[in-house]
Amino acid sequence: MEKYILSFDQGTTSSRAILFNQQGNPVSIAQKEFTQLFPQPGWVEHDAMEIWSSQITVAAEAIVKAGLGGKEIAAIGITNQRETTIVWDKTTGEPVYNAIVWQDRRTTGYCDQLKAEGLDTLIQEKTGLIIDAYFSATKIKWILDNVPGAREKALAGQLAFGTVDSWLIWKLTGGQSHLTDVTNASRTMLYNIHQLTWDKQLLEIFDIPENMLPEVKASSEIMAKTTGQFLNAKIPIAGIAGDQQAALFGQMCTKVGMVKNTYGTGCFMLMNIGDQPIVSKNNLVTTIAWKINDQVHYALEGSIFIGGAVVQWLRDGLGLIKDSSEIESLAEKVSDNGGVYMVPAFAGLGAPHWNQHARGTVVGLTRGTTDAHLARAALESIAYQTWDILKAMEADSGVEIKELRVDGGATANDLLMQFQADILQCKVVRPELTELTAIGAAYLAGLAVGFWNSVDEIQEYWKVNRYFNPENQNTGELIKNWHRAVKSAIAWADDGI
């Protein structure tokens, strides 16, 4: 009987399930968007029960589409939107509040307070992270402080915290397993990435009881088995990685200095830095890339909060396009941006600026500006933000980056990929398979159950679709104007001006 790996790819705007065969090819895909909740400006929430129902629905759909049953699934790999915070009652399995999404800004004031108390260095040294509302710790504290009865229940050991991977495992195992992996733990601002433990000093600072936290596992090991209610089979859950680390592994960036950028709702660039963490001096974060066979790899990461989401905004917010795929043809109606620059700081600016208060800005508008110029400026903003991170990464690592491996939905846009190569002045490599986040989780799960024998075997399945080489060398003026636009976004946020 031929077996397959089932990958749960739980993203920010949709849940997906993909079945992979022995050659690392997808044989069946199902996807379902779910509700985005914006209760107040700067707040972003999801219904955790809808995350679960959408994910389990697409998993069943993908298997039925392929004409398979539970016995043909060798293992489940899980990859997930990171930092998004869910707190639930251990007895009822019900969330005490909506999931607070990684994009949410409600704890910005508290983060400012932590910085004012001079905790930046301590937190960065222990966790590799920069104090920001992006990460999970301040979101957990907010739930405990603001949901009636939550803190009392937590102190009594009745509540569980988890990132989305933990929540899915809890549900898949009928509440028997409260687990996460090192990659997701390293995004909470509570995990010591040197000692590989939850950090008691940080738990004290954030006033979070340790009994809420999941047990931390490697990224590739048999962690738990499903209850048997799902597909009438007890399937091993054997791979977990946060979406960006999963993409780094899926891109086979297994050697030091290799870099990938994922173009999703946000954009996330990671560089494999090997088995020793480097603390960034250029406002990047240090994160755990994966742990396989007791071997930990680390990565430098730069996070762009709004990448592909800027195209969704043009579609849903402005109505300039009906479908995201139309953005390329609209942008191609003009030969350049017409002097228009868009800084999509809808959720603040991420790396390397880390300005929580910055807001979206468009500069350079004239009477001659058209919807095509706005479309082009939106696409270009993704490439400029990537340039900022790449330069910070080169400065931290001392490595000149000659090749960028790319994945995610926006990589189908040839205009954006060519512009990216021009702006970076380096080769952009788009692989044949664009489902890199899902395949990364599948590889981790498959390695743990012997579906694949080694990383070397997997390496053979990674194939190039297209190289984008720099064609335009004269990009200095564009980058200079981009930085002027970023200054405008930051200035707008400064109410002291």
Side-chain angles (χ1 to χ4, degrees), residues 5-250:
I5 301 289
L6 174 61
S7 193
F8 284 17
D9 185 357
Q10 205 299 302
T12 308
T13 56
S14 71
S15 295
R16 303 193 313 147
I18 306 181
L19 277 168
F20 291 96
N21 66 13
Q22 195 84 46
Q23 291 70 47
N25 294 321
V27 296
S28 178
I29 301 177
Q31 178 169 350
K32 185 175 172 59
E33 288 196 8
F34 57 88
T35 314
Q36 306 294 305
L37 305 167
F38 307 102
Q40 292 187 33
W43 291 28
V44 189
E45 295 177 2
H46 293 155
D47 177 343
M49 294 304 282
E50 190 185 359
I51 287 176
W52 162 244
S53 65
S54 62
Q55 187 63 69
I56 206 71
T57 300
V58 293
E61 187 186 327
I63 287 163
V64 169
K65 261 190 198 173
L68 301 174
K71 300 254 184 314
E72 288 143 303
I73 309 304
I76 292 171
I78 296 174
T79 183
N80 54 286
Q81 53 167 318
R82 304 170 304 169
E83 300 92 21
T84 294
T85 298
I86 304 170
V87 175
W88 65 92
D89 187 300
K90 289 178 182 174
T91 308
T92 65
E94 292 288 322
V96 301
Y97 189 78
N98 279 337
I100 302 182
V101 180
W102 57 272
Q103 297 161 319
D104 189 279
R105 299 278 95 196
R106 78 187 65 190
T107 59
T108 299
Y110 176 55
C111 289
D112 289 342
Q113 182 188 319
L114 292 170
K115 289 176 192 168
E117 290 169 15
L119 289 166
D120 318 42
T121 305
L122 173 82
I123 286 172
Q124 188 176 15
E125 281 175 356
K126 284 174 177 279
T127 67
L129 307 179
I130 286 160
I131 294 173
D132 193 84
Y134 174 32
F135 304 108
S136 310
T138 63
K139 303 178 196 299
I140 304 169
K141 179 174 166 55
W142 187 94
I143 289 172
L144 295 181
D145 289 347
N146 290 277
V147 175
R151 186 164 290 284
E152 291 73 19
K153 276 188 165 184
L155 290 168
Q158 294 167 8
L159 296 187
F161 149 73
T163 40
V164 171
D165 58 307
S166 296
W167 170 241
L168 294 177
I169 290 168
W170 178 276
K171 300 298 278 182
L172 284 166
T173 61
Q176 296 303 300
S177 298
H178 186 206
L179 308 171
T180 190
D181 89 302
V182 287
T183 69
N184 282 292
S186 75
R187 310 299 295 187
T188 58
M189 221 153 62
L190 298 171
Y191 193 70
N192 190 310
I193 63 169
H194 309 276
Q195 296 172 2
L196 304 180
T197 56
W198 297 116
D199 192 286
K200 293 191 187 313
Q201 187 180 5
L202 295 177
L203 289 168
E204 206 170 294
I205 288 168
F206 290 104
D207 200 12
I208 294 168
E210 191 169 358
N211 63 34
M212 294 179 70
L213 304 179
E215 181 186 350
V216 183
K217 298 283 197 177
S219 311
S220 179
E221 65 172 293
I222 297 174
M223 301 160 203
K225 289 192 174 175
T226 61
T227 58
Q229 290 176 322
F230 175 57
L231 300 174
N232 295 318
K234 295 195 170 186
I235 303 166
I237 300 165
I240 308 175
D243 52 10
Q244 302 316 316
Q245 290 96 327
L248 187 71
F249 194 69

Side-chain angles (χ1 to χ4, degrees), residues 326-383:
E326 296 169 17
I327 187 76
E328 185 172 7
S329 56
L330 178 58
E332 281 178 330
K333 287 182 178 176
V334 288
S335 57
D336 58 42
N337 63 19
V340 178
Y341 292 81
M342 183 183 292
V343 183
F346 304 152
L349 280 169
H353 309 286
W354 292 107
N355 188 308
Q356 305 188 88
H357 303 284
R359 287 294 174 263
T361 308
V362 182
V363 298
L365 297 174
T366 67
R367 282 291 299 274
T369 301
T370 66
D371 54 355
H373 290 112
L374 282 174
R376 195 168 187 109
L379 284 180
E380 290 183 355
S381 75
I382 299 170

Side-chain angles (χ1 to χ4, degrees), residues 389-468:
I389 290 174
L390 184 128
K391 291 301 164 189
M393 216 164 254
E394 287 183 336
D396 272 339
S397 65
V399 174
E400 185 187 349
I401 296 166
K402 301 263 177 63
E403 175 184 293
L404 178 68
R405 295 186 173 189
V406 298
D407 58 88
T411 58
N413 189 316
D414 289 352
L415 176 69
L416 172 59
M417 291 299 100
Q418 185 57 56
F419 187 75
Q420 186 71 89
D422 292 344
I423 286 295
L424 298 181
Q425 289 297 296
C426 85
K427 185 193 294 178
V428 169
V429 186
R430 182 171 67 197
E432 199 66 55
L433 180 69
T434 54
E435 306 292 353
L436 273 304
T437 304
I439 192 67
Y443 284 156
L444 291 166
L447 284 170
V449 297
F451 189 80
W452 292 293
N453 294 317
S454 66
V455 172
D456 288 341
E457 180 192 342
I458 291 168
Q459 197 95 39
E460 294 172 20
Y461 303 133
W462 188 89
K463 293 189 170 55
V464 175
N465 166 268
R466 182 170 166 187
Y467 293 105
F468 293 88

Side-chain angles (χ1 to χ4, degrees), residues 341 474-482 484:
Y341 292 81
N474 304 313
T475 57
E477 194 67 21
L478 293 171
I479 291 163
K480 180 180 140 193
N481 287 337
W482 160 253
R484 287 172 63 207

